[in-house]
């Protein structure tokens, strides 16, 4: 394994991967170190998947500037990477006069940030966009969209890999030394990597990386958000995103419903500061609260409509007492030349990722010559969406060409064997069950793998020689099985 | 795209589909196609290697695979057409199906359809068990598949949530294979499976059963390390102070079966909330003419012998329908569940033929009677020593006893 | 003398039986009440003195379309002999094909009971051939 790089990025989340992809346009030896067994296992995959318009951020901040820029870049990026994105628009709804004033302020703020297409709508106009929505007025932001967050994170990594970036998984950085030409980065499993430029994109652990270089001014306060996922077949379809005006009537979590780009509905997220930045548990109290507020928003929900819960952890820079948000930290450290530091990239980090990548590229250019490659593979070799979303005629053609498309493995989501095989044979070399799940969309349906996991296990066993001890869920000790029966 | 035409298409080759296919053929339907998504027939019976199947049908206590083979042999001797490894992806009101297999993607036009897709298991996510999501959590049926069909052991120290039959069967299986089953926890104040299984799967092996108790937290970041359990009191909430930690590396869930009616949504077949299955009449026809339903996809059964009975009748009705011998009546006599009855099926009858009611009581009780009545008038009464939600009750009713009833109610008294 | 409660499993009535048991090396059932028919007391006696069971398990098969063949006892065996029987079952290795009702182990653990196959396992060419 190569261990000398021009640029080494710590953290294969959406930000780290966007940077890697952008830098892979240039003749640079790029490495990405990731402590988990796959990319995007942290905050990047665990969020609402919303592409924010930019109305909520103070003009002049990085959050405002990078969000609006990232938003405008996202559609082309997704087209190249074959990632589903849908600019469905958002209604921010006012229920009383004080809310209306809030909306007017937001509109001004958005316009100052360069957000396109903002409009105040009256009740009739609102209900044309979303029938039976409540409220008296709404701010319409057409540039709000939804995206598959793990789909984007994985696609960025795969495309960066196609363009020569090296992703090294299972590398938990334990110490960093400066050595005159750059940095020596050591990992817990005894590896050492050298690099001229070091980029900290470690998300929830970015403050730990800072401390390794003697930078003690940052601290991450993990703040967990829990979600419930609802079944795709709910007849209530949200055509657009609907949020209450910020600060509207405080009781509860201010829960909203979000469409996912795959057709599920998310209830959430909640907001809870926690101590352990690795604690993704769901809690009874929050689940009950989410269900209660979900019932208010969608009367007639039944237990069989809930597929599961999940949670994400925000890398907040503000303490529980402070609350609120601090701006992104994206700095090229003068005191540690060659160290580009990103701290506290919480919302709107996903939307901002393409713009952050450009900003970081400029910082890298201050340190290293950036010479464009002759060949950059901009388009990722993949299909947008799943086989199940094709028309019957398109399906028939694919199956006639490749029988593996004819064999459905995940019945709930109608995922075919070909898609499972593609997921197993991914360019990252990830071979975990969750890796297959996030790439193929298997096991995400209402049976949660009850039907397809045995079949996926059989494929891995028969066609890839897996033994029971080789099956892991996500981390090295998350073994699925305990050996053979006989 | 290839288009085929078949008189009768049966979706699902488990016990229901097998019996329906055989019955339809024996009733004179020559053009029967049985579609099964697995590469072999038998459905869930293939992984149910324990015995107790066939006491009524064959007078023997057979295992699942043996029971299935009896019907598979009959099917083969009748040369009934099958498509294995084939999944039905969609169906519409006109009984046009799109199916997919390694051989190709095709369109099938069916004169009549029998839905026999079986059911799926309720998951941990659906019941929102708090905690982390480590490896080692399985539904009991998935664990049964790994152990019995793939020679893979799922874990060594097991907790089972849910006292349904499948949970108890797996408790015994895993014990015989050398795992330690710590306990079975059941949220209700009574066991939801058969007393025979409590004795032969739990008591025989010293596995404790805790009622009114459930799992309230899951621990472990990589592989399961344990669960927190607590007694469950009012409004299904944990009773404070009763929490205790149970170390384990495996959690099996046996918390309910849900008829797999996703295909039924295409043609907008009317489904019942109480059964999660179709609303049917006394020919087991759904709300869409020519589409019938039977077996676990109609309502979850506890005895496969009853599934075969029900499916045999449906196969006969479907064949009769294709011959034009079944008249869809102008109006139906509705049948409703009353006091003490969870559900009753069929939900409407024509009054043209004798029928058998299938029902489940909502709570265990003893020394009661199940009453079928038309207002105050008794139509049929069955006295029973033991009534339990886990055991389906079947009551044959002669149509000449109905008089001029416009609607019926079934209750416990 | 102790009292023991049992639920009879012979028929769906599930009578709740109460048995009076004289303890000792050979426990003896002196009385049974709660039964609605006369099969109950005999079943209760057997169940207390020497409970009989049937079990099902799996046997390893080489070169088959299933990795194991499901098997069962073809006659009831005593509860206390189950783990001896399991020991013998675990030790067997078969080669495909196997047919339903094939006797896999005759007179298992010296008992008047055979272990028989409960499914057909076809022979498939393994990758090594």
């Amino acid at each position: 394994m190569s261990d000398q790089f021009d640029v080494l990025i710590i953290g294969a989340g959406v930000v780290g991967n966007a940077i890697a992809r952008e830098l892979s346009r240039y003749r640079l030896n790029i490495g990405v170190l990731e402590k988990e067994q796959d990319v995007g296992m942290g905050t990047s995959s665990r969020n609402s998947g919303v592409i924010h318009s930019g109305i909520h951020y103070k003009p002049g901040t990085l959050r405002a500037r990078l969000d609006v820029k990232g938003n405008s870049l996202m559609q082309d990026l997704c087209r190249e990477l074959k990632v589903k994105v849908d600019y469905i628009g958002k209604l921010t709804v006012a229920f009383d006069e004080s809310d209306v004033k809030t909306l007017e302020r937001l509109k001004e703020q958005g316009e100052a940030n360069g957000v396109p297409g903002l409009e105040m709508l009256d009740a009739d106009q609102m209900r044309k966009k979303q029938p039976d929505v409540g409220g008296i007025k709404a701010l319409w932001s057409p540039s709000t969209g939804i995206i598959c967050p793990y789909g984007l994170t994985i696609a960025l990594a795969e495309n960066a890999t196609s363009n020569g970036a090296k992703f090294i998984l299972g590398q938990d950085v334990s110490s960093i030394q400066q050595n005159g030409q750059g940095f020596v980065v050591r990992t817990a499993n005894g590896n050492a990597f050298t690099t001229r430029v070091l980029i900290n994109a470690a998300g929830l652990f970015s403050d730990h990386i800072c401390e390794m270089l003697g930078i003690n001014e940052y601290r991450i306060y993990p703040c967990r958000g829990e979600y419930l996922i609802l079944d795709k077949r709910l007849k209530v379809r949200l055509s657009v995103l609907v949020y209450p005006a910020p600060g509207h009537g405080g009781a509860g979590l201010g829960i909203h419903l979000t469409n996912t780009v795959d057709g599920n509905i998310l209830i959430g997220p909640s907001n809870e500061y926690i101590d352990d930045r690795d604690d993704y548990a769901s809690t009874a109290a929050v689940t009950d609260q989410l269900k209660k507020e979900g019932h208010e928003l969608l009367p007639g929900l039944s237990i069989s409509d809930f597929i599961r819960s999940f949670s994400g952890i925000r890398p907040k820079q503000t303490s529980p007492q402070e609350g609120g948000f601090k701006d992104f930290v994206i700095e090229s450290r003068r005191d540690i030349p060659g160290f580009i530091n990103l701290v506290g990239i919480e919302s709107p980090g996903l939307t901002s990722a393409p713009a952050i990548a450009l900003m970081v590229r400029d910082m890298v250019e201050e340190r290293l010559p950036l010479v464009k490659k002759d060949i950059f593979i901009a388009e990722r070799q993949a299909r947008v969406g799943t086989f199940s979303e094709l028309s019957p005629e398109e399906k028939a053609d694919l199956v006639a060409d490749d029988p593996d498309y004819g064999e459905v493995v995940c019945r709930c989501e109608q995922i075919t064997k070909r898609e499972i095989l593609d997921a197993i044979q991914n360019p990252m070399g990830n071979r975990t069950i969750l890796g297959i799940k996030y790439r193929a969309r298997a096991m995400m349906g209402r049976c949660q793998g009850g039907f397809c996991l045995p079949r996926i296990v059989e494929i891995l066993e028969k066609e890839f020689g897996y033994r029971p001890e080789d099956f892991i869920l996500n981390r090295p000790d998350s073994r699925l099985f305990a050996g053979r029966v006989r | 795209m290839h288009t085929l035409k078949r008189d009768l298409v049966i979706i699902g080759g488990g016990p229901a589909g097998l019996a329906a296919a055989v019955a339809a053929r024996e009733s004179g339907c020559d053009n029967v196609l049985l579609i099964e998504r697995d590469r072999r027939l038998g459905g869930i019976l293939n992984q149910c290697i324990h015995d107790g199947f066939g006491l009524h049908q064959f007078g023997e206590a057979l295992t699942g695979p043996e029971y299935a083979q009896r019907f598979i042999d009959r099917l083969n001797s009748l040369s009934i057409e099958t498509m294995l490894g084939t999944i039905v992806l969609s169906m519409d009101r006109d009984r046009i199906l799109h199916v997919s297999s390694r051989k190709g993607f095709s369109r099938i036009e069916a004169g009549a359809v029998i839905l026999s897709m079986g059911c799926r298991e309720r998951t941990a996510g659906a019941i929102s068990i708090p905690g982390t999501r480590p490896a080692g959590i399985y539904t009991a049926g998935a664990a049964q598949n790994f152990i019995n069909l793939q020679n893979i052991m799922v874990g060594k120290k097991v907790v089972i949530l849910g006292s349904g039959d499948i949970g108890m069967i797996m408790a015994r299986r895993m014990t015989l294979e050398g795992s330690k089953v710590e306990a079975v926890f059941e949220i209700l104040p009574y066991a939801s499976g058969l007393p025979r299984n409590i004795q032969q799967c739990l008591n025989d092996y010293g596995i404790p059963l805790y009622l009114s108790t459930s799992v309230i937290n899951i621990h472990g970041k990589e592989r399961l390390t344990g669960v927190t359990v607590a007694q469950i009191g009012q409004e299904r909430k944990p009773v404070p102070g009763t929490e205790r930690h149970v170390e384990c590396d495996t959690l099996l869930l046996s918390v309910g079966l849900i008829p797999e009616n996703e295909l039924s949504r295409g043609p907008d077949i009317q489904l019942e909330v109480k059964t999660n299955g179709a609303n049917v009449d006394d020919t087991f026809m759904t709300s869409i003419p020519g589409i019938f339903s039977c077996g676990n996809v109609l309502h979850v059964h506890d005895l496969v012998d009853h599934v075969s009975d029900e499916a045999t009748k449906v196969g006969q009705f479907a064949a009769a329908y294709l011959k034009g011998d079944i008249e869809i009546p102008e109006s139906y006599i509705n049948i409703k569940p009353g006091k003490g009855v969870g559900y009753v099926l069929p939900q409407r009858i024509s009054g043209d033929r004798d029928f058998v009611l299938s029902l489940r009581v909502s709570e265990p009780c003893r020394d009661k009677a199940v009453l079928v009545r038309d207002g105050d008038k008794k139509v049929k009464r069955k006295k029973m020593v033991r009534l339990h939600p886990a055991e389906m009750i079947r009551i044959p009713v002669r149509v000449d006893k109905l008089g001029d009833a416009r609607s019926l109610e079934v209750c416990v008294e | 003398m102790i009292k023991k409660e049992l639920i009879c499993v012979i028929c769906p009535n599930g009578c709740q039986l109460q048995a009076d048991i004289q303890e000792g090396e050979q426990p003896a059932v002196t009385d049974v009440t709660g039964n609605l028919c006369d099969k109950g007391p005999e079943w209760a006696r057997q169940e207390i003195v020497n409970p009989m069971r049937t079990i099902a398990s799996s046997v390893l098969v080489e070169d088959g379309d299933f990795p194991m063949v499901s098997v069962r006892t073809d006659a009831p065996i005593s509860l206390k002999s189950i783990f001896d029987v399991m020991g013998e079952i675990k030790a067997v290795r078969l080669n495909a094909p196997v047919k339903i009702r094939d006797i896999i182990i005759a007179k298992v653990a010296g008992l008047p009971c055979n272990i028989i196959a409960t499914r057909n396992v076809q022979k498939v060419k393994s990758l090594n051939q």
Side-chain angles (χ1 to χ4, degrees):
Chain A
M1 160 172 58
S2 145
D3 53 7
Q4 290 181 313
F5 296 99
D6 297 318
V7 178
L8 188 61
I9 300 166
I10 302 176
V14 68
V15 170
N17 296 355
I19 294 170
R21 195 245 181 187
E22 186 55 40
L23 293 178
S24 71
R25 294 181 194 278
Y26 305 99
R27 294 190 204 199
L28 293 169
N29 204 350
I30 302 164
V32 183
L33 295 182
E34 167 53 49
K35 81 172 169 65
E36 300 288 353
Q37 302 301 315
D38 198 0
V39 306
M41 301 252 53
T43 314
S44 304
S45 300
R46 299 162 166 279
N47 54 73
S48 317
V50 174
I51 307 287
H52 294 286
S53 62
I55 59 177
H56 289 288
Y57 319 116
K58 196 150 147 263
T61 58
L62 286 176
R63 290 170 85 217
R65 183 157 61 84
L66 295 171
D67 174 86
V68 172
K69 179 108 200 256
N71 187 315
S72 71
L73 294 170
M74 197 61 84
Q75 190 148 43
D76 286 340
L77 179 64
C78 288
R79 198 178 24 82
E80 288 178 340
L81 295 179
K82 309 288 193 304
V83 173
K84 270 196 225 172
V85 67
D86 195 357
Y87 284 88
I88 58 175
K90 174 170 125 181
L91 291 169
T92 308
V93 176
F95 292 89
D96 57 35
E97 278 314 312
S98 106
D99 286 344
V100 173
K101 291 213 162 30
T102 306
L103 292 188
E104 283 162 0
R105 194 179 46 76
L106 279 180
K107 181 165 184 285
E108 268 178 46
Q109 181 167 261
E111 280 161 354
N113 287 334
V115 177
L118 292 173
E119 252 187 274
M120 288 293 280
L121 302 181
D122 63 30
D124 285 331
Q125 293 168 314
M126 275 161 66
R127 294 193 229 294
K128 283 205 177 65
K129 299 237 183 265
Q130 179 66 42
D132 73 17
V133 67
I136 55 177
K137 271 198 158 71
L139 177 59
W140 169 245
S141 46
S143 67
T144 307
I146 51 177
I147 194 173
C148 181
Y150 45 88
L152 176 64
T153 305
I154 291 167
L156 284 165
E158 289 190 357
N159 188 234
T161 303
S162 301
N163 286 298
K166 295 207 171 28
F167 282 74
I168 311 164
L169 306 171
Q171 307 299 313
D172 192 2
V173 172
S174 53
S175 72
I176 307 173
Q177 276 99 40
Q178 296 180 266
N179 72 348
Q181 290 97 43
F183 304 87
V184 179
V185 178
R186 292 199 162 77
T187 61
N189 51 3
N191 293 321
F193 304 91
T194 60
T195 183
R196 294 157 72 194
V197 169
L198 181 65
I199 301 178
N200 176 11
L204 283 166
F205 300 91
S206 50
D207 56 347
H208 289 176
I209 301 296
C210 286
E211 280 161 23
M212 291 179 200
L213 281 163
I215 300 169
N216 294 310
E217 67 226 53
Y218 299 115
R219 181 169 159 185
I220 295 293
Y221 297 87
C223 181
R224 185 170 60 200
E226 295 181 42
Y227 292 86
L228 289 175
I229 307 179
L230 300 180
D231 200 308
K232 275 182 178 179
R233 62 166 163 76
L234 281 184
K235 294 280 191 206
V236 174
R237 296 302 280 121
L238 301 179
S239 327
V240 305
L241 293 178
V242 177
Y243 283 34
H248 166 78
L253 301 168
I255 295 307
H256 44 260
L257 304 177
T258 312
N259 281 351
T260 71
V261 82
D262 297 300
N264 294 98
I265 293 177
L266 300 179
I267 304 178
S270 60
N271 253 290
E272 190 198 345
Y273 278 91
I274 55 176
D275 296 319
D276 176 0
R277 58 187 77 188
D278 192 36
D279 184 4
Y280 290 99
S282 341
T283 60
V286 172
T287 300
D288 287 343
Q289 188 70 11
L290 290 175
K291 284 191 172 165
K292 184 158 154 284
E293 301 197 17
H295 276 287
E296 280 165 15
L297 292 164
L298 280 177
L301 271 184
S302 84
I303 180 182
S304 54
D305 294 326
F306 292 96
I307 295 200
R308 68 176 294 156
S309 57
F310 75 95
S311 61
I313 302 177
R314 307 169 182 80
K316 291 192 84 65
Q317 297 178 78
T318 50
S319 72
Q321 295 73 36
E322 290 172 80
F325 292 86
K326 275 201 182 128
D327 199 13
F328 293 159
V329 170
I330 304 176
E331 58 183 8
S332 183
R333 294 289 295 205
R334 302 290 157 221
D335 53 344
I336 305 179
F339 181 56
I340 298 173
N341 194 21
L342 294 94
V343 181
I345 315 296
E346 52 167 323
S347 182
L350 179 67
T351 313
S352 307
I356 294 176
L358 293 176
M359 185 173 170
V360 168
R361 178 208 57 194
D362 292 343
M363 290 176 175
V364 172
E365 193 163 30
E366 291 170 4
R367 313 286 319 167
L368 298 174
L370 292 188
V371 179
K372 271 217 159 123
K373 284 174 169 159
D374 296 326
I375 298 178
F376 173 70
I377 307 164
E379 302 245 345
R380 186 171 78 115
Q381 291 299 322
R383 177 203 311 293
V384 186
T386 56
F387 174 87
S388 67
E389 291 163 337
L390 300 172
S391 72
E393 289 72 26
E394 288 169 309
K395 285 179 181 165
D397 287 339
L398 274 181
V399 176
D401 209 42
D402 181 355
D404 285 332
Y405 274 117
E407 187 180 328
V408 170
V409 172
C410 166
R411 164 202 60 203
C412 302
E413 300 290 313
Q414 297 190 356
I415 306 296
T416 65
K417 184 173 180 183
R418 167 51 50 200
E419 293 164 291
I420 301 288
L421 291 173
D422 287 347
I424 295 168
Q425 295 167 308
N426 65 80
M428 317 303 319
N430 170 275
R431 291 290 181 93
T432 63
I433 293 298
L434 286 192
I436 296 169
K437 175 176 170 180
Y438 285 129
R439 286 167 175 81
R441 216 194 139 66
M443 296 172 274
M444 288 194 173
R446 52 192 72 91
C447 86
Q448 289 291 289
F451 177 79
C452 55
L453 181 61
R455 280 152 186 79
I456 292 171
V457 165
E458 195 177 31
I459 292 171
L460 286 165
E461 210 173 0
K462 294 214 163 92
E463 306 192 28
F464 296 87
Y466 273 43
R467 301 148 307 169
E469 58 268 30
D470 296 327
F471 291 90
I472 63 171
L473 187 63
N474 52 359
R475 288 182 176 167
D477 285 329
S478 61
R479 263 174 270 279
L480 259 64
F481 304 126
R484 292 246 176 248
V485 178
R486 293 278 174 271
Chain B
M1 196 190 323
H2 206 34
T3 295
L4 302 96
K5 283 189 175 43
R6 294 289 182 273
D7 286 349
L8 177 61
V9 175
I10 300 174
I11 307 179
L18 287 168
V22 165
R25 172 55 81 83
E26 288 177 343
S27 305
C29 182
D30 284 327
N31 195 282
V32 179
L33 169 63
L34 177 61
I35 303 180
E36 165 56 47
R37 68 178 170 217
D38 210 333
R39 55 178 184 274
R40 47 180 71 94
L41 297 169
I44 202 71
L45 290 176
N46 286 326
Q47 63 184 59
C48 295
I49 67 167
H50 51 282
D51 70 17
F53 303 92
L55 283 161
H56 300 242
Q57 287 284 330
F58 303 112
E60 298 176 63
L62 300 174
T63 60
E66 288 171 287
Y67 187 98
Q69 194 62 44
R70 299 277 173 105
F71 284 89
I72 295 170
D73 289 342
R74 279 170 76 191
L75 186 116
N76 290 336
S77 73
L78 291 165
S79 302
I80 293 172
E81 184 191 5
T82 60
M83 279 182 165
L84 301 181
T86 304
I87 191 166
V88 179
L89 292 180
S90 68
M91 175 176 68
D92 66 22
R93 301 181 67 94
D94 300 317
R95 300 181 301 276
I96 311 285
L97 294 83
H98 284 122
V99 308
S100 181
S101 77
R102 297 186 69 82
K103 296 206 182 94
F105 188 92
S106 359
R107 192 168 162 279
I108 302 181
E109 293 173 11
V113 172
I114 297 180
L115 304 174
S116 49
M117 294 90 76
C119 55
R120 66 172 189 272
E121 298 181 279
R122 184 166 282 125
T123 64
I127 61 173
S128 305
I129 305 180
T132 53
R133 291 286 176 267
I137 300 172
Y138 295 99
T139 51
Q144 190 182 53
N145 184 308
F146 285 121
I147 292 173
N148 293 348
L149 297 180
Q150 297 201 53
N151 191 11
I152 290 176
M153 179 43 78
V154 295
K156 294 246 166 295
K157 209 157 190 257
V158 186
V159 163
I160 299 180
L161 177 60
S163 62
D165 288 320
I166 172 136
M168 295 200 279
I169 295 282
M170 287 310 293
R172 176 176 60 188
R173 180 76 169 120
M174 296 195 75
T175 303
L176 290 180
E177 293 308 329
S179 298
K180 176 84 169 54
V181 178
E182 296 294 324
V184 176
F185 296 104
E186 167 56 54
I187 197 171
L188 293 174
Y190 53 85
S192 39
L194 300 167
R196 179 215 325 277
N197 286 331
I198 301 176
Q199 181 59 49
Q200 298 187 352
C201 300
L202 305 184
N203 294 349
D204 280 0
Y205 303 99
I207 299 170
L209 167 64
Y210 297 100
L211 301 175
S212 301
T213 308
S214 191
V215 173
I216 62 167
N217 216 338
I218 294 174
H219 308 281
K221 285 189 178 168
E222 297 182 298
R223 175 86 192 196
L224 182 67
T225 56
V227 296
T228 303
V229 300
Q231 278 177 36
I232 302 298
Q234 304 282 49
E235 287 166 36
R236 294 227 164 173
K237 293 252 175 288
V239 176
T242 65
E243 301 91 354
R244 64 183 174 94
H245 187 79
V246 182
E247 265 186 34
C248 58
D249 69 5
T250 309
L251 174 64
L252 294 191
L253 292 155
S254 173
V255 294
L257 295 172
I258 304 167
E260 189 53 79
N261 270 299
E262 297 321 305
L263 272 181
S264 310
R265 297 184 190 277
D268 238 336
I269 289 173
Q270 193 188 338
L271 297 176
E272 293 284 302
V273 170
K274 288 202 159 88
T275 57
N276 284 305
N279 177 304
V280 292
D281 71 9
D282 48 317
T283 66
F284 292 90
M285 196 181 307
T286 67
S287 54
I288 308 283
I291 302 185
F292 299 81
S293 178
C294 62
N296 273 352
V297 78
L298 175 60
H299 56 146
V300 176
H301 287 253
D302 37 89
L303 282 187
V304 74
D305 304 67
H306 292 162
V307 168
S308 302
D309 263 352
E310 185 175 271
T312 297
K313 292 205 186 79
V314 176
Q316 291 163 352
F317 285 128
Y321 169 81
L322 285 165
K323 284 200 196 114
D325 291 342
I326 300 219
E327 254 184 59
I328 296 179
E330 295 258 316
S331 66
Y332 283 102
I333 301 165
N334 289 319
I335 308 185
K336 291 228 167 343
K339 176 162 158 303
V341 174
Y343 78 85
V344 64
L345 203 156
Q347 293 89 352
R348 52 200 159 92
I349 54 158
S350 59
D352 292 342
R353 57 187 72 78
D354 295 341
F355 56 95
V356 175
L357 289 174
S358 299
L359 62 116
R360 289 187 188 273
V361 297
S362 22
E363 272 171 354
C365 47
R366 295 188 72 84
D367 298 316
K368 297 252 192 269
V370 178
L371 177 63
V372 183
R373 64 175 181 193
D374 165 22
D376 285 326
K377 188 173 138 220
K378 173 191 99 162
V379 170
K380 180 105 186 230
R381 191 164 183 277
K382 178 171 177 175
K383 273 174 68 169
M384 297 181 66
V385 174
R386 194 185 116 85
L387 301 90
H388 196 289
E391 286 157 53
M392 189 185 292
I393 296 167
R394 302 169 90 221
I395 300 180
V397 179
R398 283 175 40 191
V399 81
D400 58 11
K401 300 277 189 216
L402 291 183
D404 57 0
R406 307 294 334 133
S407 73
L408 295 173
E409 190 192 72
V410 182
C411 56
V412 172
E413 60 169 26
Chain C
M1 210 269 298
I2 58 167
K3 285 184 187 298
K4 188 171 165 140
E5 298 230 338
L6 299 159
I7 301 181
C8 181
V9 299
I10 294 179
C11 86
N13 278 344
C15 299
Q16 287 177 323
L17 305 176
Q18 201 179 70
D20 295 342
I21 304 172
Q22 198 80 276
E23 293 177 286
E25 250 199 41
Q26 308 273 33
V29 176
T30 52
D31 192 26
V32 178
T33 52
N35 50 303
L36 280 173
C37 80
D38 54 18
K39 289 198 197 143
E42 185 43 49
W43 176 84
R45 287 193 167 84
Q46 178 75 57
E47 184 60 19
I48 286 165
V49 167
N50 187 17
M52 301 295 279
R53 299 285 182 261
T54 55
I55 59 162
S57 185
S58 308
V59 168
L60 196 60
V61 178
E62 312 273 356
D63 298 333
D65 62 349
F66 284 92
M68 303 184 296
V69 62
S70 46
V71 299
R72 66 172 167 90
T73 48
D74 69 355
I77 58 174
S78 64
L79 177 60
K80 50 188 193 292
S81 60
I82 284 182
F83 282 95
D84 290 332
V85 169
M86 281 303 303
E88 288 197 20
I89 289 175
K90 286 181 187 176
V92 177
R93 285 179 107 89
L94 297 173
N95 288 306
V98 183
K99 273 181 58 200
I100 283 188
R101 300 217 92 103
D102 277 356
I103 296 180
I104 308 300
I105 307 174
K107 305 253 181 303
V108 64
L111 299 164
C113 162
N114 302 316
I115 302 298
I116 60 172
T118 57
R119 77 161 114 241
N120 296 322
V121 178
Q122 319 288 1
K123 192 170 159 72
V124 295
K125 271 206 160 7
S126 76
L127 295 169
N128 302 328
Q129 286 181 330

